[in-house]
Amino acid sequence: MYPPARHPPGQPLKFTVTESCDRIKEEFHFLQAQYHSLKLECEKLASEKTEMQRHYVMYYEMSYGLNIEMHKQAEIVKRLNAICAQVIPFLSQEVRLKNACQCDMQSQNVQQQLQAQQLSHGHAIPIPLTPHPAGLQPPLPPGAGTASLLALSSALSHQLPLKDERKHHDNNSEHPRGKACSAYVCGFRRYSVLCLVAPGLRTPLAVPCSYPSPFGMVPHPGINGELSGAGAAYTGLHNISPQMSAVAAAAVAAYGRTQVVGFDPHHHIRVPGLPPNLSGIPGGKPAYSFHVSADGQMQPVPFPPDSLIGPGIPRHARQINTLSHGEVVCAVTISNPTRHVYTGGKGCVKVWDISHPGNKTPVSQLDCLNRDNYIRSCRLLPDGRTLIVGGEASTLSIWDLATPTPRIKAELTSSAPACYALAISPDSKVCFSCCSDGNIAVWDLHNQTLVRQFQGHTDGASCIDISNDGTKLWTGGLDNTVRSWDLREGRQLQQHDFTSQIFSLGYCPTGEWLAVGMENNNVEVLHVTKPDKYQLHLHESCVLSLRFAHCGKWFVSTGKDNLLNAWRTPYGASIFQSKESSSVLSCDISIDDKYIVTGSGDKKATVYEVNY
């Protein structure tokens, strides 16, 4: 018949149990090998994706920086054109021709240098140019514009004879207030301008006037005596707008006596020491604080004379300590009373005793996350005995600080892969966490359980603050929105839409104002019940953190431009400014408003003492 090892033809194929198991095993090994191969390919693709994202971020930052520089150059060119348009028509023909030749030569040199740079780089960099005024040469590159200004200033110094002012100064010395206020006009044909100069100041404040005068410095008959006192307008000065009257009143209020001297037309220079938004006068250095009405109209804010003085308003901040954390400091908080500072970096929170300024080492270290994951937020409960830490992990850790050695007493786990910000209710019973999936998790701290989630943000929730009465919550997100939540009813109350991602926010403890820091470099201060708001423009890069003083009269913001800015609530008069050596990622203010702590990208935290 057939050998036992062979299968008879026409018979169905039969396998023994052992053979079936062997075949299943072979198939399993084959599928397992395919799985490992596909897993390796997935990991490789994920690695390439991460690398591409890193390159994208790097190229985005480079292009962003280039765009800023290009806009700055365009603004410089625009201002130079405006200056030239106003000055050139009043020069003699000979001087005008000489200046035109110098400008042309400088322009050719600059253009040749730009062409050489473009050829060396192999591609051209577009330079935006603004339309030039009628009767002038096209806009010049920055170098050429500077040369033309130098030529113009030289020409003016020869063409405009200046009057000897010593005799006039002697005549004013007998005034009861030390110096009488007299007026001069520097006119170019029918254009003239008055300029306020307080004693000891380096730069004047120009005030336009319609009085026609010839070349040179001549007394202005519109001034009768001296300027009036604080809060009043000019005495006997005509053809001055209400805004200019407010400027004069602020000058008198700040300096007591003010002199009016001549200056060139349509140029308004900031007066150091006055509320600096006076530079918002048309034609001068752009203002940084604007009021935005309900219909979107923006107007420079005329700061009140007492905007930078009074109880609770600091004069400046002095750096008193540097805490070398060793990693980028993404989160900081200060204890109450002010003794300890907590700095969050990669994987851990370090505790510093700042009651001894010479202490350069942390008193303890709290290992919260994996070594490569950053702490994004840390918050102390009001009693100062418990610290809650969140970051690039799905788990929040609750630390008991009352023990001799701090220890974890609980962990809260959510479905989101990261927590960007934390807030604690005033009664210490509830913790709110901003999740990377856009949800706001609400935690019961007593039972360590998730109570609910506020859903609304369509991208990561990046920042959070809570009202002092614990009834309202404010959150900002990467979806360009700020939302308010009613904590009693558990629902969304308001939504404010912006054109930029929201990186930071703070709710004023004593008023109805909310300050928002954004990716587009702006700080916006919103009234929570009215459509009015203020827009502040001192930052040159994205605003990464923001915190109100507990008195509510001022707040600070920090940014990628290495700046710490202190602002007056709500209109944003600049109180003081400090520039650090790297991006300032986080900040906090002590409960008594006497200390500020910042965390920065150069792996350290900085402690400032606020002086009043």
Side-chain angles (χ1 to χ4, degrees), residues 147-426:
S148 83
L149 277 187
L150 292 174
L152 286 173
S153 63
S154 176
L156 287 172
S157 65
H158 288 86
Q159 185 157 340
L160 300 180
L162 297 180
K163 189 176 182 179
D164 187 357
E165 297 183 346
R166 282 179 295 182
K167 182 178 178 181
H168 172 76
H169 177 77
D170 293 340
N171 292 337
N172 286 336
S173 61
E174 298 177 359
H175 192 275
R177 300 184 65 182
K179 284 187 181 179
C181 181
S182 59
Y184 291 94
V185 155
C186 177
F188 293 99
R189 297 184 183 175
R190 292 190 58 81
Y191 298 92
S192 60
V193 69
L194 293 177
C195 188
L196 287 172
V197 175
L201 293 183
R202 295 171 296 175
T203 53
L205 174 68
V207 179
C209 176
S210 60
Y211 178 77
S213 63
F215 290 113
M217 307 290 285
V218 296
H220 189 288
I223 288 288
N224 181 15
E226 66 179 50
L227 294 182
S228 56
Y234 293 106
T235 300
L237 180 59
H238 307 288
N239 299 317
I240 297 297
S241 68
Q243 186 182 18
M244 294 301 105
S245 298
V247 169
V252 176
Y255 296 101
R257 54 183 184 274
T258 307
Q259 190 179 18
V260 181
V261 299
F263 199 60
D264 58 318
H266 308 298
H267 285 75
H268 310 280
I269 296 182
R270 170 180 170 182
V271 178
L274 284 180
N277 210 53
L278 295 179
S279 58
I281 302 168
K285 181 179 178 181
Y288 62 83
S289 175
F290 296 89
H291 178 263
V292 184
S293 61
D295 57 357
Q297 296 295 321
M298 293 179 60
Q299 293 293 334
V301 178
F303 296 150
D306 62 345
S307 60
L308 302 181
I309 58 176
I313 307 302
R315 291 184 293 112
H316 59 85
R318 179 175 63 94
Q319 181 177 330
I320 61 172
N321 206 346
T322 298
L323 312 176
S324 300
H325 183 94
E327 295 289 349
V328 174
V329 180
C330 299
V332 294
T333 192
I334 309 176
S335 67
N336 178 29
T338 306
R339 179 179 178 183
H340 292 109
V341 168
Y342 300 82
T343 59
K346 259 189 180 181
C348 71
V349 172
K350 294 185 179 181
V351 186
W352 309 80
D353 186 348
I354 63 170
S355 59
H356 305 289
N359 192 357
K360 299 296 183 181
T361 58
V363 296
S364 60
Q365 176 174 317
L366 317 181
D367 295 317
C368 307
L369 305 178
N370 292 333
R371 186 66 185 87
D372 294 330
N373 295 342
Y374 279 102
I375 307 294
R376 299 296 295 268
S377 182
C378 55
R379 284 286 173 265
L380 280 166
L381 266 61
D383 62 5
R385 299 164 60 90
T386 303
L387 180 74
I388 303 179
V389 181
E392 295 174 347
S394 58
T395 302
L396 306 181
S397 56
I398 304 177
W399 289 79
D400 184 358
L401 306 178
T403 58
T405 302
R407 62 179 182 85
I408 293 180
K409 64 179 181 180
E411 289 187 338
L412 310 175
T413 303
S414 71
S415 58
C419 166
Y420 291 154
L422 295 169
I424 309 296
S425 64

Side-chain angles (χ1 to χ4, degrees), residues 445-524:
L445 293 179
H446 179 70
N447 298 316
Q448 287 94 45
T449 56
L450 180 64
V451 178
R452 65 167 41 157
Q453 292 192 83
F454 291 130
Q455 297 179 337
H457 289 288
T458 57
D459 203 345
S462 57
C463 48
I464 190 170
D465 203 0
I466 189 170
S467 62
N468 270 359
D469 60 5
T471 61
K472 188 178 293 186
L473 191 72
W474 293 89
T475 60
L478 304 181
D479 58 353
N480 301 3
T481 67
V482 169
R483 302 167 190 258
S484 65
W485 311 86
D486 188 325
L487 298 181
R488 291 168 296 190
E489 299 180 6
R491 63 183 180 89
Q492 179 176 313
L493 293 176
Q494 293 175 294
Q495 175 177 326
H496 299 272
D497 296 313
F498 297 86
T499 58
S500 174
Q501 290 183 329
I502 311 301
F503 285 172
S504 55
L505 62 77
Y507 185 73
C508 181
T510 59
E512 295 296 314
W513 298 98
L514 179 79
V516 181
M518 295 183 287
E519 188 267 344
N520 66 359
N521 313 349
N522 292 343
V523 174
E524 294 203 3

